[in-house]
Amino acid sequence: MPDVLVLNGPNLNLLGTRKPEVYGTTTLADLEDLCRRTAGDLGLDAVCRQSNHEGQIIDWIHEFGAAQQAGTCVGAVYNPGAHTHTSIAIHDAIEGAQLRVIEVHISNVHRREPFRHHSYVSPVAAGTIVGLGVHGYALALHALSQGS
Ligand code: CA2
């Protein structure tokens, strides 16, 4: 089965523990289980990673970009967390590795503070899903399984 990377950025390890009014009550472990089950139904093997460290995330983008070029990975479902709004390095990593990325945000960032309205990731993403809660990850997996 080809791999699909499910990548979560900084502070997403806190999911389900605080701010349920913004991010819901699903924990990261629950979310990763949901992704593994959804990917399995689509004939994909979800490889779930989360880090609070930008360099570690960049290394994984390079690793899975190479796997995609080798034909063993279909791309990544990626919630960059606050790196969305700050990181040119992550923009460059996705572009450089040519990793197919669907950018997912649990909350509707466009209804929130102005500093959340700009994304450095969107210009190098195949698509973006915002504001649909953790269901956005399942939708992104469906899109990647169909070659989006
Ligand atoms: O809506 C999203 O998925 C975000 O990517 C989440 C990021 C935020 O910086 C983006 O603007 C939008 C924050 C993730 C932090 O998650 C927490 C979860 C529970 C408690 C505290 C933070």
Side-chain angles (χ1 to χ4, degrees):
M1 282 211 289
D3 287 342
V4 60
L5 174 64
V6 176
L7 181 56
N8 282 291
N11 297 310
L12 285 154
N13 55 309
L14 299 177
L15 268 186
T17 65
R18 270 170 252 154
K19 293 203 164 202
E21 70 286 3
V22 181
Y23 298 117
T25 54
T26 303
T27 65
L28 180 63
D30 293 338
L31 171 62
E32 291 182 343
D33 277 350
L34 169 79
C35 288
R36 279 190 206 96
R37 277 187 275 113
T38 304
D41 291 344
L42 295 165
L44 298 170
D45 200 356
V47 178
C48 299
R49 301 275 164 87
Q50 186 274 332
S51 179
N52 296 322
H53 303 278
E54 191 175 33
Q56 173 64 85
I57 288 167
I58 290 169
D59 286 345
W60 285 331
I61 289 169
H62 293 173
E63 178 187 336
F64 284 87
Q68 186 191 299
Q69 309 319 317
T72 60
C73 172
V74 297
V77 176
Y78 180 26
N79 185 342
H83 286 153
T84 309
H85 320 298
T86 62
S87 181
I88 297 169
I90 284 176
H91 170 112
D92 288 348
I94 295 167
E95 193 174 42
Q98 293 187 282
L99 180 64
R100 189 177 300 117
V101 163
I102 310 282
E103 176 187 358
V104 173
H105 297 286
I106 294 167
S107 65
N108 182 350
V109 286
H110 301 293
R111 290 182 66 170
R112 300 181 64 193
E113 305 94 324
F115 63 80
R116 296 187 202 275
H117 295 180
H118 176 262
S119 170
Y120 283 104
V121 172
S122 295
V124 289
T128 303
I129 297 170
V130 305
L132 301 182
V134 294
H135 187 54
Y137 289 72
L139 294 173
L141 288 166
H142 278 268
L144 281 176
S145 77
Q146 290 170 16
S148 296

